[in-house]
Amino acid sequence: MDNPISKFESWWQEALTDSPLQQKSAVCISTIDENGFPAGRFVDLKFVGESGFVFCTYFDSAKGKHIERNPKTAMTVWWDHVGYQVRVVGAAEAITFTEADRFWETRNRSAQLTTTAFEQSQPMASEIELTARQKKASTKFAGQRIPRPDNWGGYCIKPASIEFLTFRESRLHVRELFEYKDNGWIKQLLQP
C-alpha cells in the first residue's frame, strides 16, 4: 500500500478489532516545551484522513501552549497485540470550531463535565477539589446540554513523515518510511 494514510486507517481498524486495550484509540503526542525539551502524553485519536491526524484538547493546556509556540509535533502508536508501531512527524494546526463542535458532541456527558469543570494542567490545591469541581459542574448543567468551552478544540497533525514498523519475534522488523515531498509520498524501506 503506497498511501500511508490508507495504510494507517487499515492498521487502526485491524488494531481496534478484538483489541484488549482499555483505551483503544490512545496515541502518544509529543510536543516541544518552552525550554526545547520534548513532552509526551497520551490522547484519544479522534480522526484520520488525508488532511492528517486529529486529537482534541484545551488550547490553553500545556500541549496547546507548546503547539502555539512550536507546531512541530510527533505522534507514536504501539499496538502490541497486533505487533504494529507507527511514528508520525509533522506540524499541528488547530481544527475549525465547527469540527471541534462535532467532536465535542461525540464525548460522553462525564467527559464533557470534566472538561468544563477543570483547567487542564493548572495547579490544584488538593484531591478534594476533584470531586467538588465535578459536582459543581454537574449541578450547573443538570438536565441541560453542556456547551463546548471556548478554550477546547483540536489539532490536526499534518504529516511530513510516517513510519510503519511490523514487529517480528526474529527482530527482523519490517520498517517502511513514507516522506511527503513534492506533493506526494515517497516510500523507503529501513533496516531493522
Side-chain angles (χ1 to χ4, degrees):
M1 191 174 295
D2 287 333
N3 181 322
I5 302 299
S6 297
K7 184 177 183 75
F8 184 93
E9 289 173 319
S10 174
W11 276 24
W12 192 18
Q13 289 310 306
E14 183 180 344
L16 289 173
T17 304
D18 298 322
S19 173
L21 301 173
Q22 290 294 315
Q23 304 301 321
K24 295 175 180 20
S25 293
V27 298
C28 181
I29 298 294
S30 298
T31 55
I32 305 297
D33 74 10
E34 60 277 3
N35 297 310
F37 289 102
R41 79 288 283 157
F42 286 88
V43 300
D44 186 36
L45 183 64
K46 295 292 188 187
F47 174 79
V48 177
E50 290 302 320
S51 59
F53 302 81
V54 177
F55 65 95
C56 293
T57 189
Y58 297 85
F59 294 124
D60 51 4
S61 67
K63 67 184 142 322
K65 290 175 183 176
H66 295 172
I67 291 168
E68 183 68 28
R69 271 192 303 275
N70 184 347
K72 292 179 180 174
T73 305
M75 182 183 89
T76 308
V77 185
W78 170 237
W79 292 307
D80 184 64
H81 62 289
V82 289
Y84 293 158
Q85 173 184 275
V86 183
R87 298 186 324 153
V88 176
V89 173
E93 298 177 1
I95 62 174
T96 67
F97 288 130
T98 301
E99 291 169 307
D101 287 340
R102 193 174 75 242
F103 290 121
W104 177 258
E105 294 303 323
T106 67
R107 295 169 64 91
N108 65 40
R109 186 169 182 82
S110 176
Q112 289 178 343
L113 281 172
T114 300
T115 301
T116 59
F118 297 95
E119 298 164 32
Q120 190 176 56
S121 304
Q122 296 305 306
M124 189 173 65
S126 71
E127 266 188 61
I128 295 170
E129 195 175 338
L130 288 171
T131 52
R133 290 185 119 190
Q134 183 80 359
K135 185 176 180 180
K136 183 178 177 182
S138 184
T139 300
K140 178 180 178 181
F141 293 107
Q144 58 182 300
R145 184 182 159 278
I146 303 169
R148 178 184 60 79
D150 292 339
N151 66 337
W152 189 92
Y155 292 97
C156 180
I157 301 172
K158 306 224 178 261
S161 69
I162 305 174
E163 182 190 320
F164 297 87
L165 180 143
T166 303
F167 179 82
R168 293 188 175 156
E169 290 292 336
S170 66
R171 309 304 277 183
L172 297 177
H173 312 315
V174 176
R175 292 176 63 195
E176 303 165 274
L177 175 65
F178 292 82
E179 294 181 291
Y180 195 78
K181 294 182 179 174
D182 301 323
N183 296 319
W185 290 103
I186 297 170
K187 179 180 175 182
Q188 172 70 56
L189 292 177
L190 302 176
Q191 296 182 39

